[in-house]
């Protein structure tokens, strides 16, 4: 297990015993902004399925799930999930969220930095992809800061509160 402390914040790999905290934060994140592609009502992942997902990520070298903990409370998370086939094993999808009350404290920056460190030190990862709501300027700026580039747009990919939103498709090559 990799741990790292920044001030009072601990960044570490999520473990199976964190499944309840992961489910709870995802439900909160999905409702407090319109940056997630689902609401808490749509989420529908019980603790057992969350444990299986955590276990799945922990067993593959092209995957990682990290959490940012303020004392004992999970306040942010990030994951890379790599492909399962030989031809896509090198390519990972990234997902990330930080609770709104923790915005502006560089937690997203710390999570991405740790995730990219992992990707660069794992010889099997060559590409990271992310889909981001085109209105989420804060996230887009953060990803660009770390060298992600806009590679395309998925128009009208989201329908939230009666309005359509586009996804920006962003990617980063890992050399």
């Amino acid at each position: 297990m990799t741990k790292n402390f920044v001030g009072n914040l601990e960044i570490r790999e999520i473990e199976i015993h964190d499944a309840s905290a992961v489910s709870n934060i995802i439900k909160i994140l999905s409702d407090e902004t319109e940056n997630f592609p689902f609401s808490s009502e749509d989420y529908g992942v019980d603790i057992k399925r969350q444990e299986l997902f955590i276990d799945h990520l922990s067993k593959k070298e092209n995957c990682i799930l990290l959490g940012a903990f303020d004392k004992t409370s999970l306040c942010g998370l990030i994951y890379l999930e790599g492909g399962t086939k030989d031809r896509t094993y090198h390519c990972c999808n990234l997902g990330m969220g930080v609770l709104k009350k923790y915005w502006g404290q560089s937690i997203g920056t710390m999570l991405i930095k740790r995730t990219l460190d992992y990707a660069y030190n794992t010889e099997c990862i060559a590409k990271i992809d992310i889909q981001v709501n085109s209105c989420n300027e804060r996230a887009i700026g953060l990803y660009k800061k770390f060298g992600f580039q806009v590679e395309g747009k998925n128009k009208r990919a989201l329908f939230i509160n009666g309005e359509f939103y586009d996804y920006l498709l962003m990617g980063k090559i890992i050399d």
Side-chain angles (χ1 to χ4, degrees):
M1 173 174 50
T2 305
K3 290 185 178 183
N4 186 29
F5 288 90
V6 181
N8 292 329
L9 193 72
E10 177 188 12
I11 308 277
R12 67 167 172 82
E13 290 183 45
I14 295 289
E15 299 173 339
I16 289 181
H17 67 83
D18 297 312
S20 179
V22 170
S23 287
N24 289 338
I25 194 174
I26 290 172
K27 288 175 186 175
I28 294 168
L29 287 166
S30 63
D31 286 342
E32 71 178 1
T33 71
E34 295 170 348
N35 298 329
F36 271 55
F38 53 84
S39 70
S40 63
E41 291 177 17
D42 298 331
Y43 184 54
V45 174
D46 62 23
I47 300 303
K48 184 64 180 166
R49 282 183 51 204
Q50 193 68 62
E51 289 173 346
L52 290 171
F53 183 68
I54 293 167
D55 186 56
H56 160 75
L57 293 182
S58 71
K59 290 180 177 175
K60 293 178 63 186
E61 66 179 335
N62 66 343
C63 299
I64 192 167
L65 176 58
L66 297 172
F69 292 83
D70 181 13
K71 298 179 184 161
T72 59
S73 177
L74 183 60
C75 59
L77 59 95
I78 191 169
Y79 75 92
L80 283 180
E81 184 176 18
T84 59
K85 309 285 189 245
D86 287 345
R87 293 180 179 184
T88 61
Y89 195 82
H90 69 284
C91 191
C92 296
N93 290 312
L94 183 143
M96 182 175 123
V98 174
L99 292 175
K100 199 170 192 176
K101 72 180 185 178
Y102 290 91
W103 287 4
Q105 298 180 35
S106 299
I107 293 171
T109 297
M110 289 183 271
L111 287 168
I112 289 180
K113 183 179 180 336
R114 284 286 307 283
T115 302
L116 290 177
D117 287 347
Y118 178 83
Y120 280 111
N121 289 307
T122 304
E123 294 180 16
C124 65
I125 297 174
K127 175 83 187 306
I128 298 174
D129 291 322
I130 188 165
Q131 295 180 343
V132 59
N133 186 328
S134 61
C135 294
N136 191 350
E137 295 175 16
R138 186 181 197 97
I140 294 165
L142 179 63
Y143 301 137
K144 284 182 176 181
K145 174 177 148 182
F146 281 96
F148 285 81
Q149 297 179 353
V150 175
E151 297 179 337
K153 184 184 287 188
N154 188 352
K155 294 182 179 187
R156 299 182 95 180
L158 299 169
F159 186 71
I160 303 168
N161 296 326
E163 292 189 47
F164 289 103
Y165 295 88
D166 299 339
Y167 264 143
L168 289 185
L169 308 173
M170 298 183 77
K172 179 172 178 61
I173 303 297
I174 304 297
D175 298 348

